[in-house]
Amino acid sequence: MVGQLRVWAGLHPEDAQLASLIGELSMKSEEFRKLWAAHDVANKTHGTMRLTHPLVGELTLRYETFALQGDEDQYLSSYHAEPGTPSEQALRQSRKPRSRSAGQG
């Protein structure tokens, strides 16, 4: 993910919001600082991504990214869990409505 962000930053060096995001991530995340300092550049169109969902925990998702014709700055990304995996079950669980805690109203 950081490698893709580095690609975008290289394509759009004048983007103040992107520079601000990179600065904020650098200040708040030691892991981001290490990854950014590695200078890895990656424009991956497919693969596997691991992330931690705040409600259901770790997920392993497959993704594919497609460039939209006629606009080099627009991409469509699709993410899915492999059928029958714990990640698929966790995604299904995350769609269920959650009850409010007793002090909320």
Side-chain angles (χ1 to χ4, degrees), residues 8-19:
W8 194 256
L11 292 172
H12 303 280
E14 74 293 343
D15 188 329
Q17 288 180 320
L18 179 59

Side-chain angles (χ1 to χ4, degrees), residues 67-102:
L68 301 180
Q69 273 188 325
D71 191 342
E72 65 187 38
D73 290 342
Q74 296 287 324
Y75 294 89
L76 173 67
S77 295
S78 171
Y79 296 83
H80 70 276
E82 294 291 336
T85 63
S87 291
E88 181 192 35
Q89 293 168 359
L91 283 177
R92 289 187 188 283
Q93 184 70 25
S94 72
R95 294 183 355 187
K96 293 182 180 177
R98 304 253 181 239
S99 61
R100 290 187 174 190
S101 297

Side-chain angles (χ1 to χ4, degrees), residues 4-96:
Q4 289 175 310
L5 186 61
R6 189 170 277 287
V7 168
W8 194 256
L11 292 172
H12 303 280
E14 74 293 343
D15 188 329
Q17 288 180 320
L18 179 59
S20 177
L21 172 65
I22 292 167
E24 182 178 346
L25 289 169
S26 295
M27 289 186 331
K28 294 182 177 181
S29 170
E30 176 69 25
E31 183 178 7
F32 181 84
R33 283 192 298 275
K34 288 178 183 177
L35 292 170
W36 189 257
H39 296 284
D40 291 335
V41 177
N43 197 10
K44 294 178 69 174
T45 58
H46 64 281
T48 302
M49 178 181 292
R50 292 192 181 151
L51 56 97
T52 302
H53 187 282
L55 299 176
V56 296
E58 187 171 315
L59 299 170
T60 301
L61 304 176
R62 300 272 312 143
Y63 70 90
E64 291 190 59
T65 301
F66 305 93
L68 301 180
Q69 273 188 325
D71 191 342
E72 65 187 38
D73 290 342
Q74 296 287 324
Y75 294 89
L76 173 67
S77 295
S78 171
Y79 296 83
H80 70 276
E82 294 291 336
T85 63
S87 291
E88 181 192 35
Q89 293 168 359
L91 283 177
R92 289 187 188 283
Q93 184 70 25
S94 72
R95 294 183 355 187
K96 293 182 180 177

